[in-house]
């Protein structure tokens, strides 16, 4: 399977899995606009490479390796959509297809430079959240202030937005998107780098989320939560 096709499948599975839990063959075929028979062969190939767990007639779920790659491609896609819309002024209805053509050829260095040029946007033109990069930096503020060429040293593990963890889960704040004013505003709320938090409740739709931090409960807007990326704490063995 060509690397471009592999990445397209992983992106589609990520989108479906986030909505439905498991990506069924029929849903993948519809998303990819291909025949279900083609999907079956592709899923087996992805499973052989260790990118997915696949059970015939049940569907596919991403492995850690597969999810990391899918999120990386998705991030590049959404950054490109911002670039095409805000810089090149391409029609919004066309930016998705154009970004699909470009996302597979973007290097880590170019992705980093593009993000810095766009001032680390949090959402694409369609409103979808742009994930954190995998560079070993603590905030967009620190990255944007760098004078040296962008480093592509990766973190030990990928980060997730605080809105994606489940009630009851604990996590450590590892990355904050935004400039120094954003970092300071969150710090004033007690949401500092390396602080341990617990997600208490998520309001339906786009409502606020409730977080426990430093023995305090905070109800924060989703727009603020967009700036907070965490490393989920692993459950301790009993």
């Amino acid at each position: 399977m060509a690397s471009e096709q592999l990445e397209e499948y992983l992106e589609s599975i990520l989108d479906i899995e986030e909505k439905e839990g498991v990506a069924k063959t029929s849903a993948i075929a519809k998303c990819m606009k291909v025949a279900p028979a083609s999907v079956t062969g592709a899923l087996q190939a992805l499973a052989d490479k260790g990118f997915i767990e696949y059970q015939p007639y049940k569907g596919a779920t991403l492995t850690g390796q597969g999810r990391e790659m899918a999120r990386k491609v998705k991030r590049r896609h959404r950054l490109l959509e911002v670039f095409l819309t805000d810089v090149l002024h391409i029609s919004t209805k066309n930016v998705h297809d154009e970004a699909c053509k470009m996302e597979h050829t973007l290097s880590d260095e170019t992705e980093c430079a593009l993000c810095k040029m766009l001032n680390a946007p949090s959402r694409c033109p369609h409103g979808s959240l742009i994930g954190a990069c995998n560079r070993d930096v603590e905030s967009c503020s620190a990255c944007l202030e760098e004078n040296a060429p962008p480093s592509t040293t990766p973190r030990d593990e990928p980060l997730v937005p605080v809105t994606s963890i489940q009630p009851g889960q604990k996590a450590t704040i590892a990355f904050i998107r935004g400039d120094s004013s954003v970092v300071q505003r969150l710090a004033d709320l007690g949401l500092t780098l390396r602080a341990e938090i617990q997600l208490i409740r998520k309001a339906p739709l786009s409502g606020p989320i409730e977080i426990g931090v430093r023995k305090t409960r905070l109800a924060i807007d989703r727009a603020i939560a967009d700036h907070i990326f965490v490393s989920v704490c692993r459950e301790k063995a009993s």
Side-chain angles (χ1 to χ4, degrees):
M1 182 187 297
S3 60
E4 180 175 328
Q5 186 183 30
L6 181 152
E7 290 176 352
E8 290 285 353
Y9 267 99
L10 293 179
E11 276 191 283
S12 296
I13 294 169
L14 176 65
D15 288 339
I16 298 166
E17 188 181 310
E18 288 181 343
K19 294 176 182 177
E20 303 176 16
V22 175
K24 294 185 177 180
T25 301
S26 57
I28 299 170
K30 183 177 180 180
C31 185
M32 295 284 295
K33 299 178 181 179
V34 297
S38 300
V39 174
T40 301
L43 293 182
Q44 189 58 62
L46 290 172
D48 291 343
K49 292 177 181 292
F51 292 119
I52 65 170
E53 296 287 345
Y54 172 55
Q55 290 182 289
Y57 308 109
K58 290 187 178 180
T61 55
L62 294 166
T63 61
Q65 180 186 6
R67 183 168 290 104
E68 183 176 355
M69 180 176 287
R71 284 176 173 163
K72 186 173 185 177
V73 178
K74 186 68 70 179
R75 169 180 161 80
R76 290 177 174 179
H77 179 99
R78 290 173 179 168
L79 282 172
L80 284 165
E81 287 189 331
V82 176
F83 172 72
L84 291 166
T85 301
D86 293 355
V87 180
L88 300 186
H89 306 295
I90 303 297
S91 172
T92 304
K93 67 180 181 181
N94 296 326
V95 296
H96 174 77
D97 289 342
E98 290 298 319
C100 280
K101 299 172 187 174
M102 301 167 67
E103 64 193 23
H104 309 290
T105 60
L106 212 62
S107 68
D108 290 345
E109 183 178 3
T110 302
E111 175 198 326
C112 180
L114 181 63
C115 185
K116 292 174 75 169
M117 186 198 75
L118 296 170
N119 200 32
S122 61
R123 291 189 177 270
C124 76
H126 303 100
S128 297
L129 184 67
I130 298 174
C133 71
N134 197 35
R135 294 186 63 218
D136 190 17
V137 291
E138 294 183 333
S139 68
C140 289
S141 176
C143 181
L144 292 169
E145 291 171 3
E146 287 179 346
N147 294 319
S151 164
T152 54
T153 302
R155 293 192 184 92
D156 292 334
E157 58 182 309
L159 307 180
V160 296
V162 68
T163 49
S164 74
I165 66 175
Q166 299 304 311
Q169 276 191 303
K170 293 182 179 180
T172 302
I173 298 176
F175 179 80
I176 296 176
R177 168 183 279 132
D179 59 21
S180 56
S181 64
V182 173
V183 175
Q184 185 59 54
R185 189 159 66 247
L186 291 174
D188 291 342
L189 295 173
L191 299 170
T192 58
L193 291 168
R194 290 175 287 281
E196 185 175 291
I197 65 162
Q198 182 175 28
L199 183 66
I200 298 171
R201 189 177 71 89
K202 290 194 280 190
L205 302 176
S206 298
I209 67 172
E210 189 174 351
I211 291 175
V213 59
R214 305 183 195 282
K215 300 182 180 181
T216 301
R217 288 192 174 193
L218 299 174
I220 62 175
D221 189 89
R222 294 279 177 128
I224 296 176
D226 277 355
H227 295 280
I228 305 168
F229 288 80
V230 298
S231 173
V232 178
C233 297
R234 297 176 180 176
E235 295 291 335
K236 294 180 180 179
S238 56

